[in-house]
Amino acid sequence: MDVMARAAEIEALDGRVVHMEVGQPAAKAPLTAREAAARAAMEGTVGYTAALGIPSLRARIARHYVERYNVEVDPSRIVVTTGSSGGFILAFLALFEPGDRVAIASPGYPPYRHILKALGCEPVLIETHAASRWAITPEQLAEAHAAAPLKGVLVASPANPTGTMMTPEALAALVEAAHGLGIRFISDEIYHGLDYAFPAVTAACLSPDVTVIHSFSKYFCMTGWRVGWMVLPPALVRAAERLQQNLSISVPTLSQIAAEAAFDGAGEMEAVKHGYEANRLILGEGLPKAGLPEFLPVDGAFYLYADVSRFSDDSAAFARRLLDEAGVAATPGVDFDPVRGHNFLRLSYCGSQADMHEAVERIGGFLRRG
C-alpha cells in the first residue's frame, strides 16, 4: 500500500509509473459476466440468496471440476464466498479454535497469518527452499508437528508471491502426510488456470477431506466483484452455512449471477492468460540481461519473485529507490517473508506487454546507474 501511495503521488505530478506492485488483472471481467449482471440489475429486485450460494452457480462450479480436472464434486459440498478472503475466514472459523497452530509456507500471502492471528490462532511459518520448489515437504510438516501439535496446514499452488507450483506428486504426498498426522489440509487454488510450467492439480481430486478455496478474482479477472468458493468436506458444510448466515447473510447476488456467466467467457480468459505467458517470457529473458538474473521458478500466477540481495539487504528501501529513480513500482518481500523477505522483490506481470518491455529497460538502466 505504501508503494501504491507513492506511485500515485508521482503520477499526480505527471510522472510515468510502470505498475508491477499489485496482483490485480488489468483485463476486464468476461463480457458474459458483465452482461448477465447488467440484465439482472435491470430486471427487478436484487435480494438475498441462500447462504451457501445460488444453487445454479454451485452446480456450475461442480461442473467446472469435471471439465478442468475430471473429478466429480457434489454441489452440496460447494459454498460460495465473498472472494477467497471470505473463504479463509469461514474455513478457519469452521476448522479451528483459538490457540490452534496452523502451518503456512514462508514466503507466503500475508493475510493467511493475519487472519489466523485475528481469530486467535497461531500461524506457524515453515521456511521453504529451492530443493522442494519452495513448497512445504512432508518431513517439514512432521517436524513442526512434533515440536508442538498442528491442527492445520495451508498451501497455495500456484503461490503468491513466488509464482511457484507444487508438482502433483508433491501435493499428493503432503496431503497424505497431513491426513496421517491428523492435520487439516487447506489448499488455496485462487491462481488455478494461470499455470504455465505444468497443469495445476486440485487437492479435491486427492481426498474428500481437504478444504479447497478458490476465487473468480484472478483467472476470471473479477477482483472487485468479490466472489469465490470453497469445496468442503461434507461434515463442514453446515458449519460454514451457519457462519455465513451470521457474518454476511449471503454473497452479493449480482456478483454470483456474473460469476456463473463467467464460465461462458473462457475464450476471453484464455486470451488473457496467453498475454501473461508472453509477459512471463519477456521478463524471464529480459531481466537477466538487465542485470537481475536470480528469481524463483516462474511456474504460474502472474508473479516473479526476484532476489535483489546483490544490490541491497533492504528490499523496502530498494523498492522505494526503484520507484523514485526508475518509475517501476514493485512490492518488497518483507510482508511475504519476515525472515528473508528483505532480500526479495515481487514483480507482478499482469499488465501489458509494452509495460513489461518498458519495465525491463527501466530496471536495467537503474541497476547500471547503481
Side-chain angles (χ1 to χ4, degrees):
M1 294 302 103
D2 290 342
V3 173
M4 289 177 62
R6 176 57 185 150
E9 292 175 1
I10 294 172
E11 289 174 323
L13 297 173
D14 295 327
R16 162 71 175 150
V17 174
V18 179
H19 288 277
M20 305 183 77
E21 79 276 32
V22 182
Q24 175 167 258
K28 296 177 182 178
L31 180 61
T32 53
R34 289 179 278 135
E35 288 180 338
R39 283 194 303 270
M42 295 302 295
E43 285 173 357
T45 301
V46 178
Y48 299 131
T49 74
L52 292 175
I54 296 174
S56 59
L57 172 57
R58 297 170 69 202
R60 183 62 185 88
I61 292 170
R63 191 175 118 202
H64 168 74
Y65 279 86
V66 175
E67 294 171 346
R68 183 173 288 273
Y69 307 106
N70 195 31
V71 59
E72 296 277 352
V73 174
D74 194 306
S76 66
R77 295 176 54 202
I78 293 169
V79 180
V80 181
T81 63
T82 309
S84 63
S85 301
F88 290 123
I89 293 170
L90 293 178
F92 293 164
L93 285 170
L95 287 165
F96 308 126
E97 298 293 337
D100 284 353
R101 302 174 77 247
V102 181
I104 55 179
S106 184
Y109 182 51
Y112 296 153
R113 65 179 191 271
H114 297 162
I115 296 171
L116 285 167
K117 286 181 179 178
L119 298 178
C121 299
E122 181 185 350
V124 178
L125 300 184
I126 296 181
E127 288 194 9
T128 58
H129 304 282
S132 62
R133 295 187 63 82
W134 304 89
I136 297 173
T137 66
E139 293 76 19
Q140 288 178 308
L141 187 67
E143 182 179 354
H145 186 62
L150 295 168
K151 289 298 179 70
V153 58
L154 187 160
V155 302
S157 176
N160 178 11
T162 61
T164 56
M165 293 173 58
M166 298 182 72
T167 64
E169 296 78 14
L171 181 63
L174 192 61
V175 169
E176 183 179 2
H179 286 351
L181 295 168
I183 297 171
R184 298 279 200 173
F185 193 93
I186 304 172
S187 180
D188 177 359
E189 300 180 1
I190 186 174
Y191 291 100
H192 274 218
L194 303 178
D195 42 10
Y196 320 116
F198 47 85
V201 172
T202 177
C205 75
L206 301 173
S207 168
D209 293 322
V210 301
T211 293
V212 171
I213 296 177
H214 209 318
S215 173
F216 289 89
S217 290
K218 307 303 182 179
Y219 177 76
F220 290 101
C221 301
M222 296 178 68
T223 52
W225 297 80
R226 308 312 303 133
V227 58
W229 75 84
M230 295 189 292
V231 179
L232 290 177
L236 288 180
V237 174
R238 179 58 177 156
E241 180 182 26
R242 290 157 71 183
L243 286 164
Q244 182 121 282
Q245 287 169 338
N246 282 276
L247 294 177
S248 62
I249 301 179
S250 63
V251 174
T253 304
L254 291 180
S255 294
Q256 293 191 60
I257 292 169
E260 183 175 345
F263 286 109
D264 295 327
E268 289 181 60
M269 299 303 94
E270 283 299 300
V272 172
K273 176 182 177 177
H274 294 326
Y276 298 154
E277 289 182 293
N279 291 348
R280 170 179 178 258
L281 186 61
I282 291 167
L283 294 184
E285 293 181 351
L287 287 178
K289 297 175 183 176
L292 196 62
E294 297 183 25
F295 41 83
L296 275 59
V298 192
D299 295 332
F302 36 60
Y303 303 120
L304 183 146
Y305 201 56
D307 186 339
V308 297
S309 58
R310 64 167 64 187
F311 307 105
S312 174
D313 61 1
D314 184 344
S315 61
F318 187 83
R320 285 193 296 271
R321 285 187 54 220
L322 182 64
L323 178 56
D324 288 339
E325 298 176 26
V328 176
T331 305
V334 288
D335 280 345
F336 304 111
D337 184 344
V339 177
R340 300 167 296 175
H342 57 276
N343 288 330
F344 289 89
L345 284 184
R346 189 193 74 175
L347 299 170
S348 174
Y349 56 86
C350 55
S352 68
Q353 293 179 41
D355 281 350
M356 298 306 106
H357 284 296
E358 184 177 356
V360 168
E361 183 178 345
R362 287 177 175 235
I363 291 171
F366 171 76
L367 296 178
R368 286 191 293 272
R369 290 192 300 272

